[in-house]
Amino acid sequence: LALALTCVAAQPVLAAETESLLLPGIDMRSIEFKVGAWCRYRVIDEAQGLADTSTVYLAVVGQEKTSGGNAYWLEVENTPPGPAGTERDVARALVDERIQTMSPGDSLHRYISRYYTRKGDGPVQEGDPRQLRRLSMASPASPSDWKSTPGQSVTTPAGTFVCEGRSFVASEARDIPSGRVILKQKRSDRVDVFTSPSVPVFHLVRSEIERTRESRTVPPVRGIPETGPRTSRTTSLLVAHGTGAKPLIRVR
């Protein structure tokens, strides 16, 4: 989901599982629209004993007036593991400043009037904002769902920051009947987010999202093994930030 502007996400079961349009741990309402501000993150995905590291760059690169008021060009660059260049994805979206007041469950396409993508050195492609209809904000519905701890010191490659730490845990168990058997699923998500007002764009310093999934059939069915608990983790860590960002995608 590091660059979900280029795809349509599946409807989540848990709010925490939506993670984010742009970067795991980001709340879209927290965006600070300051033209030229940028941040770069190292994103580590771990699952089944393997880990991949990618880089995500976020920047506010312009402002426009629209029929709804002020809107800002937000760019996201995702560089996956391995040689950079041909596999790099860039997205550019015109985001309405009203997104700062969006409600949980709001469709993101209501706040994005135009967007473009480019893969590697390929051509710039214009996207249809309606394709973002199923994307929504990634945070619990109420501030009371979060446990907050102010005054947390977090050290990153970009420096040491005094942060507000917030955590959220969601779990769910459900039975899915299928013929004469029942598929039992257990899911849980733990989200830890550290933010600082001294960091631009989304104020994110560090986030960690850990997911646990488990399923089995009752009665057991030969050929359908029990998965047992499977855990995956995504960690986002600030590595640099600054001002003076220039557009990566040029559009008319």
Side-chain angles (χ1 to χ4, degrees):
L1 291 180
L3 194 62
L5 275 171
T6 61
C7 67
V8 178
Q11 184 68 26
V13 175
L14 296 176
E17 195 177 351
T18 65
E19 296 178 20
S20 173
L21 171 71
L22 305 170
L23 191 72
I26 282 178
D27 182 340
M28 294 299 296
R29 295 170 300 183
S30 69
I31 189 169
E32 179 183 13
F33 289 115
K34 185 175 181 180
V35 176
W38 62 269
C39 290
R40 182 172 286 108
Y41 294 86
R42 180 186 305 135
V43 181
I44 304 171
D45 288 306
E46 302 170 85
Q48 298 183 3
L50 301 175
D52 282 330
T53 302
S54 58
T55 300
V56 174
Y57 169 82
L58 307 171
V60 181
V61 295
Q63 178 182 2
E64 284 192 17
K65 286 283 188 180
T66 68
S67 59
N70 292 322
Y72 295 81
W73 285 106
L74 177 67
E75 284 193 338
V76 189
E77 179 187 48
N78 180 36
T79 305
T86 57
E87 296 300 319
R88 182 182 62 182
D89 291 317
V90 181
R92 176 182 172 100
L94 187 60
V95 183
D96 194 310
E97 67 178 354
R98 294 176 301 170
I99 200 170
Q100 295 170 327
T101 60
M102 73 183 293
S103 300
D106 270 2
S107 176
L108 199 64
H109 91 284
R110 294 180 54 191
Y111 304 94
I112 294 179
S113 54
R114 295 161 61 194
Y115 84 94
Y116 301 84
T117 62
R118 186 182 69 199
K119 186 167 185 68
D121 298 324
V124 175
Q125 308 239 344
E126 185 172 4
D128 183 352
R130 291 176 297 180
Q131 293 180 333
L132 307 177
R133 186 174 290 114
R134 295 173 65 188
L135 291 175
S136 60
M137 179 173 56
S139 67
S142 169
S144 63
D145 292 330
W146 291 92
K147 178 182 177 181
S148 297
T149 309
Q152 300 291 297
S153 179
V154 178
T155 298
T156 77
T160 299
F161 301 87
V162 177
C163 300
E164 178 187 23
R166 296 186 300 137
S167 61
F168 168 70
V169 177
S171 60
E172 178 189 62
R174 60 176 179 167
D175 294 345
I176 304 175
S178 179
R180 296 182 179 181
V181 302
I182 296 175
L183 177 63
K184 290 184 171 289
Q185 292 184 336
K186 292 182 180 180
R187 311 155 64 93
S188 66
D189 295 271
R190 179 183 58 80
V191 181
D192 294 303
V193 178
F194 297 88
T195 58
S196 169
S198 62
V199 176
V201 192
F202 288 100
H203 310 301
L204 183 69
V205 176
R206 176 186 170 93
S207 70
E208 184 173 295
I209 300 174
E210 185 174 281
R211 316 161 197 84
T212 301
R213 303 289 184 262
E214 182 176 0
S215 66
R216 62 189 178 93
T217 58
V218 178
V221 177
R222 181 179 297 179
I224 304 180
E226 295 185 5
T227 63
R230 291 185 176 180
T231 300
S232 62
R233 179 184 298 107
T234 299
T235 302
S236 303
L237 187 67
L238 179 71
V239 296
H241 68 86
T243 59
K246 302 299 182 183
L248 299 174
I249 288 181
R250 296 286 182 178
V251 298
R252 287 183 293 177

mmCIF file of all heavy atoms in Angstrom, residues 47-74:
data_model
loop_
_atom_site.group_PDB
_atom_site.id
_atom_site.type_symbol
_atom_site.label_atom_id
_atom_site.label_comp_id
_atom_site.label_asym_id
_atom_site.label_seq_id
_atom_site.Cartn_x
_atom_site.Cartn_y
_atom_site.Cartn_z
ATOM 1 N N ALA A 47 7.635 -10.575 6.605
ATOM 2 C CA ALA A 47 6.634 -11.636 6.622
ATOM 3 C C ALA A 47 7.321 -12.959 6.333
ATOM 4 O O ALA A 47 8.177 -13.044 5.439
ATOM 5 C CB ALA A 47 5.532 -11.376 5.605
ATOM 6 N N GLN A 48 6.958 -13.988 7.085
ATOM 7 C CA GLN A 48 7.447 -15.349 6.885
ATOM 8 C C GLN A 48 8.970 -15.403 6.825
ATOM 9 O O GLN A 48 9.568 -16.097 6.003
ATOM 10 C CB GLN A 48 6.837 -15.949 5.614
ATOM 11 C CG GLN A 48 5.321 -16.059 5.681
ATOM 12 C CD GLN A 48 4.716 -16.707 4.457
ATOM 13 O OE1 GLN A 48 5.414 -17.142 3.555
ATOM 14 N NE2 GLN A 48 3.396 -16.785 4.440
ATOM 15 N N GLY A 49 9.598 -14.642 7.712
ATOM 16 C CA GLY A 49 11.046 -14.679 7.809
ATOM 17 C C GLY A 49 11.794 -13.894 6.759
ATOM 18 O O GLY A 49 13.032 -13.903 6.727
ATOM 19 N N LEU A 50 11.073 -13.201 5.864
ATOM 20 C CA LEU A 50 11.695 -12.404 4.824
ATOM 21 C C LEU A 50 11.406 -10.928 5.050
ATOM 22 O O LEU A 50 10.383 -10.562 5.641
ATOM 23 C CB LEU A 50 11.193 -12.822 3.438
ATOM 24 C CG LEU A 50 11.431 -14.291 3.045
ATOM 25 C CD1 LEU A 50 10.776 -14.577 1.699
ATOM 26 C CD2 LEU A 50 12.919 -14.614 2.999
ATOM 27 N N ALA A 51 12.298 -10.067 4.582
ATOM 28 C CA ALA A 51 12.117 -8.630 4.742
ATOM 29 C C ALA A 51 12.488 -7.909 3.454
ATOM 30 O O ALA A 51 13.492 -8.244 2.810
ATOM 31 C CB ALA A 51 12.960 -8.104 5.901
ATOM 32 N N ASP A 52 11.665 -6.955 3.052
ATOM 33 C CA ASP A 52 11.943 -6.093 1.912
ATOM 34 C C ASP A 52 11.971 -4.650 2.383
ATOM 35 O O ASP A 52 11.143 -4.242 3.218
ATOM 36 C CB ASP A 52 10.867 -6.233 0.829
ATOM 37 C CG ASP A 52 11.043 -7.487 -0.003
ATOM 38 O OD1 ASP A 52 12.204 -7.923 -0.168
ATOM 39 O OD2 ASP A 52 10.025 -8.031 -0.468
ATOM 40 N N THR A 53 12.894 -3.871 1.856
ATOM 41 C CA THR A 53 13.007 -2.466 2.230
ATOM 42 C C THR A 53 12.811 -1.594 1.000
ATOM 43 O O THR A 53 13.479 -1.790 -0.017
ATOM 44 C CB THR A 53 14.377 -2.166 2.855
ATOM 45 O OG1 THR A 53 14.573 -2.990 4.006
ATOM 46 C CG2 THR A 53 14.469 -0.699 3.278
ATOM 47 N N SER A 54 11.887 -0.657 1.089
ATOM 48 C CA SER A 54 11.655 0.290 0.006
ATOM 49 C C SER A 54 11.758 1.707 0.554
ATOM 50 O O SER A 54 11.852 1.920 1.768
ATOM 51 C CB SER A 54 10.276 0.059 -0.628
ATOM 52 O OG SER A 54 9.253 0.181 0.335
ATOM 53 N N THR A 55 11.749 2.671 -0.351
ATOM 54 C CA THR A 55 11.828 4.078 0.040
ATOM 55 C C THR A 55 10.596 4.798 -0.484
ATOM 56 O O THR A 55 10.213 4.629 -1.647
ATOM 57 C CB THR A 55 13.088 4.735 -0.538
ATOM 58 O OG1 THR A 55 14.247 4.056 -0.043
ATOM 59 C CG2 THR A 55 13.166 6.200 -0.122
ATOM 60 N N VAL A 56 9.978 5.596 0.381
ATOM 61 C CA VAL A 56 8.812 6.381 -0.010
ATOM 62 C C VAL A 56 9.109 7.860 0.231
ATOM 63 O O VAL A 56 9.550 8.249 1.316
ATOM 64 C CB VAL A 56 7.557 5.959 0.782
ATOM 65 C CG1 VAL A 56 6.383 6.883 0.462
ATOM 66 C CG2 VAL A 56 7.179 4.523 0.461
ATOM 67 N N TYR A 57 8.880 8.658 -0.798
ATOM 68 C CA TYR A 57 9.111 10.105 -0.755
ATOM 69 C C TYR A 57 7.770 10.811 -0.918
ATOM 70 O O TYR A 57 6.995 10.504 -1.837
ATOM 71 C CB TYR A 57 10.068 10.476 -1.883
ATOM 72 C CG TYR A 57 10.220 11.952 -2.165
ATOM 73 C CD1 TYR A 57 11.079 12.752 -1.413
ATOM 74 C CD2 TYR A 57 9.527 12.548 -3.222
ATOM 75 C CE1 TYR A 57 11.237 14.101 -1.701
ATOM 76 C CE2 TYR A 57 9.684 13.883 -3.519
ATOM 77 C CZ TYR A 57 10.543 14.662 -2.754
ATOM 78 O OH TYR A 57 10.687 16.004 -3.035
ATOM 79 N N LEU A 58 7.485 11.767 -0.029
ATOM 80 C CA LEU A 58 6.244 12.542 -0.070
ATOM 81 C C LEU A 58 6.589 14.017 -0.182
ATOM 82 O O LEU A 58 7.482 14.505 0.514
ATOM 83 C CB LEU A 58 5.430 12.334 1.213
ATOM 84 C CG LEU A 58 5.111 10.898 1.643
ATOM 85 C CD1 LEU A 58 4.499 10.900 3.034
ATOM 86 C CD2 LEU A 58 4.169 10.246 0.652
ATOM 87 N N ALA A 59 5.863 14.750 -1.034
ATOM 88 C CA ALA A 59 6.145 16.171 -1.190
ATOM 89 C C ALA A 59 4.898 16.925 -1.615
ATOM 90 O O ALA A 59 4.082 16.416 -2.388
ATOM 91 C CB ALA A 59 7.258 16.383 -2.216
ATOM 92 N N VAL A 60 4.753 18.146 -1.101
ATOM 93 C CA VAL A 60 3.702 19.069 -1.544
ATOM 94 C C VAL A 60 4.366 20.003 -2.552
ATOM 95 O O VAL A 60 5.264 20.771 -2.197
ATOM 96 C CB VAL A 60 3.109 19.854 -0.366
ATOM 97 C CG1 VAL A 60 2.006 20.798 -0.855
ATOM 98 C CG2 VAL A 60 2.568 18.911 0.695
ATOM 99 N N VAL A 61 3.941 19.940 -3.823
ATOM 100 C CA VAL A 61 4.704 20.612 -4.875
ATOM 101 C C VAL A 61 3.943 21.717 -5.597
ATOM 102 O O VAL A 61 4.466 22.302 -6.554
ATOM 103 C CB VAL A 61 5.216 19.578 -5.905
ATOM 104 C CG1 VAL A 61 6.208 18.623 -5.259
ATOM 105 C CG2 VAL A 61 4.061 18.809 -6.543
ATOM 106 N N GLY A 62 2.736 22.041 -5.167
ATOM 107 C CA GLY A 62 2.010 23.113 -5.839
ATOM 108 C C GLY A 62 0.645 23.338 -5.235
ATOM 109 O O GLY A 62 0.172 22.561 -4.405
ATOM 110 N N GLN A 63 0.021 24.440 -5.649
ATOM 111 C CA GLN A 63 -1.300 24.816 -5.160
ATOM 112 C C GLN A 63 -2.135 25.303 -6.328
ATOM 113 O O GLN A 63 -1.633 25.936 -7.249
ATOM 114 C CB GLN A 63 -1.185 25.913 -4.101
ATOM 115 C CG GLN A 63 -2.518 26.412 -3.564
ATOM 116 C CD GLN A 63 -2.358 27.542 -2.549
ATOM 117 O OE1 GLN A 63 -1.240 27.973 -2.273
ATOM 118 N NE2 GLN A 63 -3.466 28.018 -2.015
ATOM 119 N N GLU A 64 -3.450 24.987 -6.294
ATOM 120 C CA GLU A 64 -4.379 25.460 -7.316
ATOM 121 C C GLU A 64 -5.706 25.830 -6.672
ATOM 122 O O GLU A 64 -6.065 25.300 -5.618
ATOM 123 C CB GLU A 64 -4.623 24.384 -8.374
ATOM 124 C CG GLU A 64 -3.494 24.192 -9.360
ATOM 125 C CD GLU A 64 -3.907 23.335 -10.545
ATOM 126 O OE1 GLU A 64 -5.135 23.171 -10.750
ATOM 127 O OE2 GLU A 64 -3.012 22.851 -11.253
ATOM 128 N N LYS A 65 -6.425 26.718 -7.338
ATOM 129 C CA LYS A 65 -7.794 27.022 -6.950
ATOM 130 C C LYS A 65 -8.731 26.118 -7.735
ATOM 131 O O LYS A 65 -8.576 25.944 -8.948
ATOM 132 C CB LYS A 65 -8.123 28.485 -7.244
ATOM 133 C CG LYS A 65 -7.478 29.483 -6.292
ATOM 134 C CD LYS A 65 -8.203 29.514 -4.962
ATOM 135 C CE LYS A 65 -7.683 30.650 -4.093
ATOM 136 N NZ LYS A 65 -8.390 30.690 -2.780
ATOM 137 N N THR A 66 -9.690 25.531 -7.042
ATOM 138 C CA THR A 66 -10.687 24.693 -7.702
ATOM 139 C C THR A 66 -12.070 25.212 -7.341
ATOM 140 O O THR A 66 -12.212 26.149 -6.546
ATOM 141 C CB THR A 66 -10.550 23.229 -7.263
ATOM 142 O OG1 THR A 66 -10.919 23.113 -5.873
ATOM 143 C CG2 THR A 66 -9.122 22.719 -7.450
ATOM 144 N N SER A 67 -13.092 24.585 -7.894
ATOM 145 C CA SER A 67 -14.470 24.997 -7.585
ATOM 146 C C SER A 67 -14.789 24.793 -6.108
ATOM 147 O O SER A 67 -15.681 25.441 -5.564
ATOM 148 C CB SER A 67 -15.455 24.203 -8.445
ATOM 149 O OG SER A 67 -15.303 22.807 -8.208
ATOM 150 N N GLY A 68 -14.064 23.900 -5.450
ATOM 151 C CA GLY A 68 -14.296 23.644 -4.032
ATOM 152 C C GLY A 68 -13.454 24.480 -3.104
ATOM 153 O O GLY A 68 -13.616 24.414 -1.887
ATOM 154 N N GLY A 69 -12.500 25.250 -3.658
ATOM 155 C CA GLY A 69 -11.621 26.069 -2.832
ATOM 156 C C GLY A 69 -10.164 25.789 -3.148
ATOM 157 O O GLY A 69 -9.795 25.595 -4.314
ATOM 158 N N ASN A 70 -9.314 25.759 -2.124
ATOM 159 C CA ASN A 70 -7.898 25.524 -2.318
ATOM 160 C C ASN A 70 -7.609 24.028 -2.429
ATOM 161 O O ASN A 70 -8.199 23.208 -1.727
ATOM 162 C CB ASN A 70 -7.095 26.094 -1.146
ATOM 163 C CG ASN A 70 -7.133 27.608 -1.108
ATOM 164 O OD1 ASN A 70 -7.102 28.267 -2.151
ATOM 165 N ND2 ASN A 70 -7.190 28.170 0.083
ATOM 166 N N ALA A 71 -6.696 23.694 -3.319
ATOM 167 C CA ALA A 71 -6.251 22.314 -3.468
ATOM 168 C C ALA A 71 -4.745 22.324 -3.680
ATOM 169 O O ALA A 71 -4.172 23.318 -4.156
ATOM 170 C CB ALA A 71 -6.955 21.626 -4.636
ATOM 171 N N TYR A 72 -4.098 21.224 -3.334
ATOM 172 C CA TYR A 72 -2.637 21.149 -3.376
ATOM 173 C C TYR A 72 -2.197 19.885 -4.093
ATOM 174 O O TYR A 72 -2.820 18.830 -3.965
ATOM 175 C CB TYR A 72 -2.067 21.168 -1.953
ATOM 176 C CG TYR A 72 -2.317 22.458 -1.215
ATOM 177 C CD1 TYR A 72 -3.542 22.710 -0.605
ATOM 178 C CD2 TYR A 72 -1.346 23.450 -1.150
ATOM 179 C CE1 TYR A 72 -3.782 23.898 0.064
ATOM 180 C CE2 TYR A 72 -1.573 24.650 -0.486
ATOM 181 C CZ TYR A 72 -2.789 24.869 0.117
ATOM 182 O OH TYR A 72 -3.024 26.039 0.775
ATOM 183 N N TRP A 73 -1.100 20.019 -4.835
ATOM 184 C CA TRP A 73 -0.518 18.874 -5.518
ATOM 185 C C TRP A 73 0.389 18.122 -4.548
ATOM 186 O O TRP A 73 1.370 18.665 -4.054
ATOM 187 C CB TRP A 73 0.279 19.308 -6.736
ATOM 188 C CG TRP A 73 -0.578 19.709 -7.903
ATOM 189 C CD1 TRP A 73 -0.817 20.970 -8.362
ATOM 190 C CD2 TRP A 73 -1.306 18.823 -8.761
ATOM 191 N NE1 TRP A 73 -1.652 20.934 -9.450
ATOM 192 C CE2 TRP A 73 -1.964 19.640 -9.724
ATOM 193 C CE3 TRP A 73 -1.468 17.439 -8.814
ATOM 194 C CZ2 TRP A 73 -2.773 19.097 -10.718
ATOM 195 C CZ3 TRP A 73 -2.274 16.893 -9.807
ATOM 196 C CH2 TRP A 73 -2.906 17.726 -10.750
ATOM 197 N N LEU A 74 0.034 16.873 -4.304
ATOM 198 C CA LEU A 74 0.823 15.991 -3.444
ATOM 199 C C LEU A 74 1.447 14.908 -4.316
ATOM 200 O O LEU A 74 0.742 14.237 -5.073
ATOM 201 C CB LEU A 74 -0.069 15.352 -2.375
ATOM 202 C CG LEU A 74 0.596 14.340 -1.442
ATOM 203 C CD1 LEU A 74 1.625 15.037 -0.550
ATOM 204 C CD2 LEU A 74 -0.448 13.632 -0.589
#
